[in-house]
Amino acid sequence: MKTLEYLRDYPDLFWPACLAAVALALLCSMLSVLVVLKRMAFIGQGISHAGFGGIGLAAVFGLASASLSPGATIAQFVVVLAFCIASALGVGILSSPQKQGETHEDTAIGIVLVLSMAIGSVLVGIYSPRFQWESFLFGYLLNTGWADAWVAVGVSAGVLGALFWARRPLAFWAFDPRAAEAFGVRTGAVRVLLLVLLAVATVTAMRLAGVVLASALLILPGAASLKLSSRFGVVMGLSVACAVAGVLAGLVLSFETNWPPGPSIVFALTAVYLASSVAGRVAAAPTVEGVVR
Amino acid sequence: MRPAAERRTGTGLRVGLRVAVASAIVSVAGVVGLGLPGCTDDPGATKVSVSEKRVSAVVTIAPLAGIVRELLPAGSEVTILMPPGRSEHGYEFTPKDLATIGKADLVVQVGLGLEPKVEQFLREHPSEGRAEVVLGQVLGISEGAEGHEHHAHDEHGNCLHDHGVDPHVWLDPVLVAEAVPALAEAVIKAGARTKEDLTGTTRAAQEQLIKRLRELDAEYAEALKPFQGRAIVTHHAAWGRLASRYGLRVADVLRPAESSEPTPEQMASVVEALKRENVPAVFIEPQYDAKSARRIADQAGLPVKTLDPLGEGDYFAMMRSNLGVLVSALNGK
Amino acid sequence: MGIDPQHELHPPGFAAAVEYRGVSFAYSARAADGPSVPVLSDVTLSVSHRERLGILGPNGGGKSTLLKLTLGLLKPTRGTIRVLGREPSAARAEGLVAYVPQKSGAEPAFPISARQAVLQAATLHLPPWKRTDAESFRRAEWALSLVGASEYADRHAGSLSGGQLQRVWIARALANRPRLLLLDEPTVGIDPAGQQQFSDLLARLRNEMDLTILVVSHDLRTVAAGCDRVACLARTLHFHDAPGGLTPAVLAEVFRHDVSAIFGDVHIDAHRAVECSHHHAPAGSAGGDREGGKAP
């Protein structure tokens, strides 16, 4: 079986990718529940394309180049991340839900998305015209080295920690934003926090594994787990499980068939989602069984 | 207090205002961005200065400029379409590029699947008296199975080059020498278009150029003689022709298909090749992101060396520089 | 911010639960309004402890605004408001005031049970490193049984009916033992039987808790049935002691800004007031029963 062969014979080649993939699954899975519930999938897209603008900005600082020192690589990551966070916040501001509905957010995302791409295109053209940004911005999972993998683990831990720390106001806001506001939850801050975490997750996943996989990880696990349970805690846990299962299955698929890892994982995640849909329909109507823990 | 109508549309106005401001910024930036490169360095084309109206030549990649310039009279304009630093594969020719071609007297391209858009354009927009050279055609290499023996195979005998035939003909000085007569003819034809009789100068230049290429060939053969049969591993499959000309073997290529990333099997196979053969280094090109190549080289404890298949426009400098890199790597330095 | 369930400490020397003095308010930019008319104008009102006060009025008359001012979400342009002797925002920050909004902004697909929805409010004050504790569970259980929602407490919130959800929202509001409960249009979309249950609920709440209740509604029946007193609010306050004092003439005057408006099932119009109240008000409601006679 090729998978075992690869893992045994070429450890430094393939283990970092596996570690990074699992870290990304953890990073994105819980966020994906919120993304699906609050219908923020398009924002994830917008943020990932905002990365173009981020690279443009990096180009201004001379950081858009194929070969950078480790310090410069970190600086570049920070610049792209800062730009994406700014874009996410821009979307948040443009679509503040005081009087408008969700269509407005849609529009805001579309605007920020195209504007970022335009900015990136122009800036890279001026400052780093030789730069092949597509392959650079949209990573490839098998290019992950140990350093990248541990960065992913660290970012994952940070984001999960933030989610845990803010879980009560976040869950309340996610469920009933108006009531949360009336109960004193600082809904503006919560919303900003979610957008920032989403930007961090998107940029990290995108740099390591490509934009397709980043988007998939931010939608499919949550969508799958929501079909399986109507208890929030259980949904969160199942989302992580679905994401990790999908990622591992996808990697095995990639190794066995020699298909690229990103799309393979997307296939696996989709299969998990379809299985959940069927299982969810087969099970009883959503009720909460037993005593609440 | 503001009138009712304005207040009712207040929020819509605010959004509209923001969109308008954003659009204005983009437009200004776009205009500036498009204007600026034109003022300083045009990444789309590199020009040689022009004094009078002489032959204007367009080539697709930088090495061709170095060759063609030798045959043209002084003061001719040679435009390179692909900006330096971009890979020769998958380049999207802009409308500006095509317009430049349209006005040229001489167009030189590699063919063999490298510049399909240019070939199409030339076909659809024929021009009276314009001289066109396609290296692949001139050398009698077709895009089919014929050129097979010229490029590397892995241990299963599979072709490692995605196109089926290796278009990197310019890296083999013998092939280039074979193409020079046809190039010279084209230059003369282009000269006729600009009402110049270039026959004399061009023939002389042709002899000179062929002589220099033969010297280059001899240099390569001499320098690489001690390393016959040695294997090299390259990032992309550009070096097959050169390797087979001078007795080297390309044991494996990390990225056989230029557009996509290496598959798991490809990566494992390269690591295997590095372990098995006595490979001196992993050779990357400056036009590609070499992250995976560096990772693999690090793991195998091998250095990473850069070979440039395109150069900046000086053909001989590029070829000699590459030779230097190859020799020092094979010497274990 | 710990919540003292007994709320025994009051600043000395105030008798009213909520006190509005000369309160005026105008939005600086409000899309739906006409240009320069203020939303509230010189409202003065004293709400006693443990009183159930109904606030009746037409749409746009300022009822929701008054609630928001009471919560401290808005500041009055003129005048003062004291909630339990404090500034409204301070009272809310201390957890003394609870609010059940008109429209539920809740996501029906959200995976949460009724009990967990109540717990969300009950545990808000806990620091992040603490688990949900027994005390919070107890409070949630107590609130749910008080509103009569225990039997469906563990069902998915999105699967509950309007009336059931209404109770759950009230339980959520009560979980932190507030002293003042604000209900904004609580019986919209609830049938007459449900409305009766609702007024029973208000009575029960008042009896079992030290709670002052403000109910805002445009529905005559709701307000009259469940409340001790009714205030009519149409930018300015017309105050009446007893629901029976809500004669058609009074109502017509209150609602004259919205002459052809239809609210609930009661259609009031200056000329046809008698006809309408006769026609639409079923026996036993509109305060008629308790006060011993229908309005003429």
Side-chain angles (χ1 to χ4, degrees), chain C:
Chain C
M1 28 156 240
I3 295 172
D4 171 10
Q6 305 309 314
H7 294 308
E8 274 165 340
L9 305 163
H10 311 138
F14 72 101
V18 189
E19 189 133 15
Y20 306 89
R21 278 200 231 267
V23 173
S24 297
F25 184 82
Y27 284 107
S28 50
R30 193 155 136 85
D33 267 353
S36 49
V37 178
V39 174
L40 289 174
S41 182
D42 198 28
V43 170
T44 299
L45 173 60
S46 235
V47 184
S48 315
H49 288 285
R50 304 189 71 191
E51 177 179 0
R52 292 168 301 165
L53 177 72
I55 301 182
L56 179 69
N59 293 327
K63 309 192 297 298
S64 289
T65 310
L66 189 67
L67 286 186
K68 289 196 182 136
L69 286 164
T70 314
L71 280 168
L73 293 173
L74 297 169
K75 293 244 176 317
T77 328
R78 267 201 306 279
T80 62
I81 305 176
R82 284 286 172 273
V83 175
L84 296 162
R86 302 156 171 81
E87 280 288 326
S89 38
R92 182 164 67 100
E94 287 178 51
L96 297 171
V97 184
Y99 170 56
V100 180
Q102 171 181 2
K103 278 203 279 276
S104 171
E107 170 66 53
F110 205 90
I112 194 172
S113 66
R115 185 187 306 275
Q116 285 169 331
V118 174
L119 275 170
Q120 275 189 334
T123 56
L124 257 188
H125 64 284
L126 289 175
W129 55 88
K130 271 214 185 139
R131 304 189 61 153
T132 305
D133 56 347
E135 170 65 25
S136 302
F137 278 113
R138 262 203 301 277
R139 286 221 209 129
E141 183 57 48
W142 165 79
L144 284 163
S145 65
L146 187 57
V147 303
S150 290
E151 59 188 41
Y152 45 83
D154 292 305
R155 278 179 50 198
H156 178 229
S159 68
L160 299 177
S161 72
Q164 291 171 323
L165 266 181
Q166 184 59 266
R167 289 160 181 268
V168 173
W169 301 149
I170 295 178
R172 178 171 66 180
L174 296 175
N176 288 324
R177 308 292 294 257
R179 298 284 310 283
L180 175 64
L181 179 65
L182 307 177
L183 299 169
D184 195 347
E185 303 283 2
T187 55
V188 166
I190 296 182
D191 63 12
Q195 286 173 356
Q196 182 57 47
Q197 286 175 352
F198 176 72
S199 55
D200 294 340
L201 172 60
L202 286 190
R204 192 160 68 239
L205 289 182
R206 198 272 305 273
N207 293 337
E208 305 213 12
M209 289 179 72
D210 181 7
L211 189 64
T212 308
I213 305 175
L214 254 61
V215 179
V216 154
S217 183
H218 60 251
D219 188 315
L220 196 47
R221 273 195 299 279
T222 308
V223 162
C227 300
D228 303 321
R229 291 195 295 174
V230 175
C232 296
L233 184 62
R235 199 165 70 245
T236 56
L237 198 61
H238 310 255
F239 187 59
H240 295 274
D241 276 335
L246 288 174
T247 63
V250 165
L251 289 169
E253 195 203 322
V254 167
F255 289 102
R256 73 173 179 270
H257 296 286
D258 213 358
V259 169
S260 57
I262 298 173
F263 29 88
D265 282 353
V266 182
H267 183 76
I268 299 283
D269 142 45
H271 304 293
R272 291 166 39 209
V274 173
E275 187 185 22
C276 286
S277 65
H278 220 50
H279 188 255
H280 287 284
S285 68
D289 257 0
R290 273 215 303 292
E291 304 303 313
K294 279 212 193 68

Side-chain angles (χ1 to χ4, degrees), chain A:
Chain A
M1 190 181 167
K2 283 204 216 157
T3 307
L4 295 175
E5 199 184 290
Y6 288 152
L7 292 175
R8 189 189 55 222
D9 297 333
Y10 312 101
D12 287 329
L13 202 52
F14 295 113
W15 277 106
C18 297
L19 178 62
V22 170
L24 290 178
L26 290 170
L27 172 63
C28 298
S29 52
M30 290 199 185
L31 284 172
S32 77
V33 174
L34 293 169
V35 163
V36 172
L37 282 173
K38 303 299 281 181
R39 298 178 182 81
M40 294 171 83
F42 194 29
I43 291 192
Q45 283 295 305
I47 294 176
S48 64
H49 286 82
F52 276 116
I55 273 292
L57 191 59
V60 174
F61 297 120
L63 291 170
S65 154
S67 46
L68 294 171
S69 67
T73 311
I74 294 176
Q76 189 212 59
F77 179 76
V78 167
V79 169
V80 172
L81 182 61
F83 191 91
C84 287
I85 290 179
S87 304
L89 295 179
V91 167
I93 292 173
L94 275 180
S95 64
S96 287
Q98 265 118 39
K99 292 174 179 80
Q100 296 89 10
E102 253 119 53
T103 14
H104 198 268
E105 188 166 79
D106 240 26
T107 316
I109 295 163
I111 293 172
V112 170
L113 190 155
V114 300
L115 184 59
S116 303
M117 293 183 75
I119 289 176
S121 173
V122 163
L123 288 178
V124 167
I126 297 177
Y127 290 96
S128 301
R130 303 177 175 215
F131 183 64
Q132 277 177 316
W133 56 356
E134 300 89 350
S135 63
F136 188 75
L137 191 59
F138 303 132
Y140 182 67
L141 202 54
L142 290 181
N143 278 345
T144 314
W146 283 113
D148 295 312
W150 289 118
V151 166
V153 170
V155 171
S156 190
V159 168
L160 289 179
L163 281 176
F164 179 78
W165 178 74
R167 69 191 183 287
R168 290 193 177 109
L170 189 57
F172 200 170
W173 166 82
F175 173 50
D176 194 344
R178 276 209 208 95
E181 173 101 55
F183 277 91
V185 171
R186 285 161 50 216
T187 51
V190 166
R191 211 161 158 259
V192 165
L193 176 67
L194 183 59
L195 285 173
V196 168
L197 292 179
L198 196 54
V200 170
T202 307
V203 171
T204 308
M206 187 171 72
R207 284 289 319 278
L208 284 177
V211 67
V212 172
L213 189 49
S215 303
L217 279 172
L218 281 169
I219 297 173
L220 283 165
S225 65
L226 282 167
K227 295 222 180 270
L228 293 172
S229 171
S230 45
R231 295 174 55 174
F232 194 60
V234 175
V235 164
M236 283 295 195
L238 282 179
S239 180
V240 174
C242 288
V244 173
V247 151
L248 294 177
L251 283 171
V252 170
L253 181 65
S254 169
F255 293 152
E256 296 300 321
T257 57
N258 210 32
W259 291 344
S264 305
I265 295 178
V266 172
F267 290 144
L269 287 172
T270 308
V272 168
Y273 169 73
L274 291 173
S276 306
S277 306
V278 170
R281 233 178 282 141
V282 163
T287 55
V288 178
E289 322 83 25
V291 176
V292 170
R293 187 34 236 121

Side-chain angles (χ1 to χ4, degrees), chain B residues 222-304:
Chain B
E222 182 68 38
L224 293 176
K225 199 155 65 167
F227 306 110
Q228 297 293 299
R230 287 287 298 275
I232 59 172
V233 167
T234 63
H235 183 237
H236 112 263
W239 309 99
R241 291 187 185 275
L242 187 152
S244 70
R245 174 71 64 189
Y246 297 108
L248 298 175
R249 250 180 342 114
V250 178
D252 213 335
V253 172
L254 186 54
R255 256 209 224 198
E258 295 80 20
S259 50
S260 43
E261 298 276 353
T263 62
E265 188 175 324
Q266 197 54 44
M267 291 183 114
S269 146
V270 169
V271 172
E272 200 53 43
L274 289 174
K275 282 201 263 193
R276 206 183 46 229
E277 319 266 353
N278 180 12
V279 176
V282 174
F283 294 95
I284 62 177
E285 302 91 29
Q287 294 85 12
Y288 280 98
D289 173 27
K291 199 161 166 210
S292 41
R294 282 183 203 279
R295 270 196 65 218
I296 289 174
D298 281 342
Q299 277 173 42
L302 289 174
V304 164

